[in-house]
């Protein structure tokens, strides 16, 4: 494939197969495959957690080369039951469950090995999966590296007040009264379990307003993207996100960096925006130091939500795994 074609979005395509896969605990995850049924399998792992898989991600991959697999993690997107319903038990939605779901999906589709692609929370899940199942991974492309360490979570929901004090004070006051001077994430998690719909909806709006404040400077990317989805998607996103981050992703602190040696032999590309305040570039740099087979690309004009230069780098990185 010519290098120039890898730098342009591919035409929109529709899946040739899709379904709801039973993964246990009453959960069914949405999955779809598009592109070349006999091509190299690539799994797109979405962020959030709880954001759902964006169908536009199909255009990142050459449909003649790749068998493109998208899925919605438990409780979000088109997966069922949906976490916007307060009756859904969140006890069956953890990192361990998601890792197991990825393996069930791989086996269901008959994939022996695949390329892993994703960003933000998706990079956390990809690293955890690849460290557990390195023999099932051909290569990895990560965008906006995030490893769910406590310091990363604390930075996003407290440390960033140094740069956005007005917006952060609104975020603080919008949370649970009991936790305003403590663990804000836990406070929001509890609000998202409140029996009153109005309380949950207001908490979701305040959380998304803060997330948008953090990316407001990213004029080349997608400012305002967190508040844009419909209420149902917002409720699921904030409920799942606060649930995961209140538990630090159920990962031992620093686990993914300490266990990076398990990625030995797996080529990777880490693409990170210099202007990313949601997930500062230091984490990507630390991962690259611990994983010699990974190439770190810092995009000077990009934040967490991308830029044209980042998009070009992503297409180029994906093309590396086309052969």
């Amino acid at each position: 494939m010519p290098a120039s074609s890898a730098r342009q979005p591919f035409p929109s395509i529709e899946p040739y197969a899709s379904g709801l896969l039973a993964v246990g605990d009453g959960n069914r995850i949405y999955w779809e495959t598009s592109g070349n049924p006999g091509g190299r399998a690539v799994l797109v792992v979405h962020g959030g957690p709880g954001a759902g898989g964006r169908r536009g991600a199909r255009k990142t991959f050459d449909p003649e080369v790749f068998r493109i697999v998208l899925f919605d993690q438990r409780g979000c997107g088109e997966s069922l039951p949906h976490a916007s319903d307060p009756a859904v038990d969140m006890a069956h939605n953890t990192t361990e469950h998601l890792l197991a779901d990825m393996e069930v999906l791989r086996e269901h589709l008959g994939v022996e090995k695949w390329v892993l692609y994703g960003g933000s929370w998706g990079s956390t899940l990809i690293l955890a999966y690849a460290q557990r199942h390195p023999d099932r991974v051909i290569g990895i492309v990560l965008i906006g590296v995030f490893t769910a360490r406590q310091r990363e979570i604390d930075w996003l929901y407290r440390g960033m007040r140094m740069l956005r004090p007005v917006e952060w004070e609104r975020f603080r006051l919008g949370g649970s009264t009991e936790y305003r001077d403590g663990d804000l994430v836990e406070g929001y998690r509890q609000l998202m379990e409140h029996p009153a719909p109005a309380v949950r909806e207001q908490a979701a709006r305040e959380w998304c307003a803060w997330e948008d404040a953090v990316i407001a400077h990213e004029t080349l990317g997608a400012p305002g993207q967190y508040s844009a989805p419909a209420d149902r998607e917002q409720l699921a996103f904030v409920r799942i996100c606060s649930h995961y981050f209140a538990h630090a992703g159920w990962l031992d602190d620093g686990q993914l960096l300490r266990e990076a040696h398990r990625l030995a032999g797996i080529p990777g590309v880490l693409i990170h925006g210099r202007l990313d305040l949601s997930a500062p570039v230091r984490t990507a740099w630390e991962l690259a130091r611990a994983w010699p087979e990974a190439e770190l690309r810092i995009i000077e004009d990009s934040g967490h939500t991308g830029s044209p230069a980042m998009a070009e780098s992503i297409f180029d990185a994906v093309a590396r795994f086309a052969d």
Side-chain angles (χ1 to χ4, degrees), residues 46-52 73-79 81-86 88 90 93 192-193 200-201 204 207-208 229-244:
H46 70 71
Q73 294 160 33
R74 291 191 181 202
C76 64
E78 296 180 61
S79 293
H82 203 263
S84 59
D85 180 353
V88 172
M90 296 298 288
N93 196 332
M192 293 308 299
E193 301 300 323
R200 297 194 304 275
E201 291 164 6
W207 180 285
C208 291
D231 290 346
R232 181 174 182 266
E233 282 70 34
Q234 271 194 30
L235 286 167
F237 166 68
V238 177
R239 190 179 183 207
I240 295 171
C241 200
S242 59
H243 172 64
Y244 272 74

Side-chain angles (χ1 to χ4, degrees), residues 46-50 73 95 98 119-126 146 148 244-245 249:
H46 70 71
Q73 294 160 33
T95 301
L98 301 186
S120 196
W121 162 257
S123 64
T124 306
L125 198 55
I126 285 171
F146 176 78
Y244 272 74
F245 291 161

Side-chain angles (χ1 to χ4, degrees), residues 102-112 114 129 136:
M102 291 165 71
E103 270 297 274
V104 172
L105 178 60
R106 184 188 65 80
E107 293 172 357
H108 175 73
L109 296 177
V111 173
E112 181 180 355
W114 45 16
Y129 177 91
R136 293 160 199 171

